[in-house]
Amino acid sequence: WKGSKAPSRNDKNSNIDPMLSYERQIISQVTIPPTAYTLRSTSTTPEHQKCKSLPPEHIQKAVNALSKFGFCILRRLYPPGIIQPYAKAVLSDLQSAIQVLRKRNIELLEPGLGEREPLSHRELAMREDLRVDLRYGPALHDLLYPQSSENCPIANHPTILEILSQVFSPKGRHYRGNYGRWNFNGNGPDGSPQPISVGRVGSVITMPNCGDQAIHADTPHLFEHLDLAPHYIDLFINATDTQTQSNDNGNSCNCNDHEEDEDEFNGDSHVGGTAFLAGTHKLEICAMCMPEHENGRSRTEKLKRIIRPSLEPGDALLFDCRILHFGLANNSHSQQLDCPSNTHKRHPRGGIIPKNNSTTPSNTAGVCRPMLYVNYTQEWFSDPKNWDDRDSLFPELYNDRL
């Protein structure tokens, strides 16, 4: 694939956009489908609302995709009963944050209208206008407080941990040469996986009218003379049904005009997903995408590598944080996509008003998309992005936790 020719958008011999066709090829290589056993977890019965492990061959495909392309997709890994409480919690905490900031004359949903611009706080960090990283709040506090981090069903999914243990700690032929593992009460050079640090569940929330992000990577390479195993991997979980449309009575219907294979990528990215430049977690490939690359074809190289995964609720996406990526625009206000648990309309001052309020035109409705995330790192790595010393929106939460 590395040496394959990027398709031209001017290809007249195909009824499908060549770039989309090329994109589908990569999607098929990085996507791990659900098994019949894991599909049972979509049932609403209590005995099926548990995370199920994938078989070894599926895990190996995920490890290979994550290593080669820098990301992988695990379809329907999480049952609805696991992710829905977290989705509701982060949206509730977003509402609470909006109200707290409004009392401080800061308008989160209408940049420029408040007396002050939004800044990053301990619980909520600004990515850019209308895209925020929500790390904590009253509803998340109530959801997470009764359980220890080791018992969180999202962060500690057995399939996720097995994939990460293999990707973080690849076992080479000469692993017995790592004699220093006897130090610090170690077990010696036995080739066992190194410890992993597991973060808390948070959410990147993309609001209607949010624009595309600039291309970026979340962490640098440790050295610049060779590619090492990753030290920082993120898990994204789609928690929003962007494929349904609701009216004010709460009835839903499919927003597509035609039926399509539900597992076939169709380029849908109207509600603020994330795009990746496949393979750019590798130094050589990433350098080829830089403007100063000697062949002068960096734009073509970037275009052919852009992949826009279209995720359904419960889908999980793992990505190496060294990969180039960018958040996509949330155009749901113009596409009129809705979901019953997440529908809002825009108040003239930027607030969220109940969906049954008829004073606001229906074409201002949109989906506020919460993408759940968990950060995983090698135990020795410390992420310099830390907001614990910032001003808190909810100081009352820290009397008994954190």
Side-chain angles (χ1 to χ4, degrees):
W1 175 73
K2 179 181 174 182
S4 60
K5 182 180 178 181
S8 169
R9 290 192 182 276
N10 296 321
D11 185 355
K12 298 180 180 179
N13 297 322
S14 173
N15 293 325
I16 302 176
D17 186 321
M19 283 294 185
L20 178 57
S21 178
Y22 191 71
E23 200 168 353
R24 283 177 170 174
Q25 295 177 30
I26 305 304
I27 287 290
S28 67
Q29 296 183 62
V30 302
T31 299
I32 290 77
T35 63
Y37 181 62
T38 56
L39 278 176
R40 294 182 62 199
S41 66
T42 60
S43 170
T44 56
T45 56
E47 62 268 22
H48 292 155
Q49 293 300 320
K50 294 182 180 180
C51 294
K52 309 261 192 324
S53 298
L54 291 178
E57 58 270 22
H58 285 60
I59 290 176
Q60 188 59 53
K61 181 180 179 181
V63 169
N64 293 343
L66 189 52
S67 300
K68 180 178 180 180
F69 297 105
F71 68 103
C72 67
I73 302 164
L74 301 113
R75 295 292 187 193
R76 306 179 196 176
L77 189 67
Y78 290 90
I82 296 294
I83 61 172
Q84 286 172 356
Y86 289 89
K88 291 178 180 178
V90 297
L91 289 173
S92 174
D93 287 339
L94 176 63
Q95 294 275 22
S96 299
I98 289 171
Q99 299 307 319
V100 171
L101 290 171
R102 181 160 294 145
K103 292 177 181 178
R104 303 180 184 183
N105 295 317
I106 298 173
E107 290 291 346
L108 190 64
L109 295 183
E110 295 290 347
L113 288 188
E115 294 181 5
R116 293 184 292 161
E117 287 297 305
L119 300 173
S120 292
H121 298 267
R122 182 171 184 174
E123 302 84 6
L124 183 143
M126 298 300 301
R127 290 299 184 215
E128 61 271 319
D129 288 348
L130 303 175
R131 194 189 310 267
V132 299
D133 180 348
L134 193 144
R135 305 170 65 239
Y136 209 52
L140 275 177
H141 173 85
D142 293 342
L143 185 62
L144 297 172
Y145 185 78
Q147 62 186 8
S148 65
S149 58
E150 293 79 12
N151 295 327
C152 175
I154 287 183
N156 293 280
H157 193 295
T159 291
I160 296 296
L161 295 180
E162 178 59 30
I163 293 170
L164 293 175
S165 68
Q166 295 188 37
V167 175
F168 275 139
S169 302
K171 189 175 179 179
R173 289 186 302 161
H174 307 298
Y175 67 91
R176 293 193 181 278
N178 192 11
Y179 201 75
R181 290 191 70 176
W182 283 115
N183 294 328
F184 309 109
N185 299 316
N187 296 322
D190 58 0
S192 59
Q194 301 280 10
I196 299 173
S197 292
V198 180
R200 290 199 314 267
V201 177
S203 180
V204 175
I205 305 175
T206 309
M207 292 165 272
N209 296 304
C210 177
D212 288 333
Q213 272 188 314
I215 295 176
H216 65 283
D218 287 343
T219 195
H221 288 257
L222 298 177
F223 300 98
E224 297 177 349
H225 65 294
L226 80 168
D227 295 306
L228 299 177
H231 54 277
Y232 191 167
I233 290 176
D234 259 1
L235 166 67
F236 277 1
I237 305 165
N238 182 20
T240 304
D241 186 359
T242 62
Q243 300 299 313
T244 60
Q245 182 177 8
S246 299
N247 57 30
D248 287 344
N249 296 322
N251 299 319
S252 62
C253 62
N254 195 315
C255 66
N256 294 323
D257 294 328
H258 59 281
E259 294 183 358
E260 232 176 339
D261 186 339
E262 61 181 355
D263 291 325
E264 183 175 335
F265 172 74
N266 59 14
D268 177 26
S269 53
H270 293 309
V271 197
T274 302
F276 299 89
L277 274 66
T280 55
H281 62 307
K282 302 292 187 182
L283 286 164
E284 179 183 0
I285 294 178
C286 190
M288 293 167 61
C289 296
M290 297 297 104
E292 60 273 15
H293 193 259
E294 58 270 16
N295 67 9
R297 299 183 69 244
S298 63
R299 184 175 183 275
T300 301
E301 195 68 34
K302 282 188 289 188
L303 283 176
K304 81 171 187 177
R305 294 184 181 277
I306 293 177
I307 310 295
R308 303 157 295 162
S310 185
L311 303 180
E312 296 182 357
D315 288 350
L317 187 150
L318 287 167
F319 69 94
D320 187 323
C321 290
R322 297 172 295 184
I323 194 172
L324 296 179
H325 62 283
F326 58 98
L328 295 166
N330 185 338
N331 295 319
S332 61
H333 62 286
S334 60
Q335 298 296 328
Q336 295 187 351
L337 298 174
D338 265 341
C339 73
S341 63
N342 191 18
T343 304
H344 73 267
K345 297 178 180 180
R346 305 290 290 279
H347 188 276
R349 278 186 49 80
I352 293 178
I353 61 177
K355 64 180 181 180
N356 60 0
N357 190 314
S358 61
T359 61
T360 303
S362 60
N363 61 6
T364 61
V367 174
C368 192
R369 178 176 188 164
M371 183 72 76
L372 303 179
Y373 72 80
V374 181
N375 300 326
Y376 300 89
T377 64
Q378 301 268 16
E379 191 178 51
W380 44 262
F381 179 75
S382 177
D383 187 356
K385 298 191 298 294
N386 190 316
W387 299 288
D388 286 350
D389 60 347
R390 299 292 183 93
D391 177 46
S392 174
L393 297 176
F394 312 108
E396 67 278 5
L397 299 179
Y398 303 96
N399 295 328
D400 55 359
R401 188 158 178 84
L402 294 186

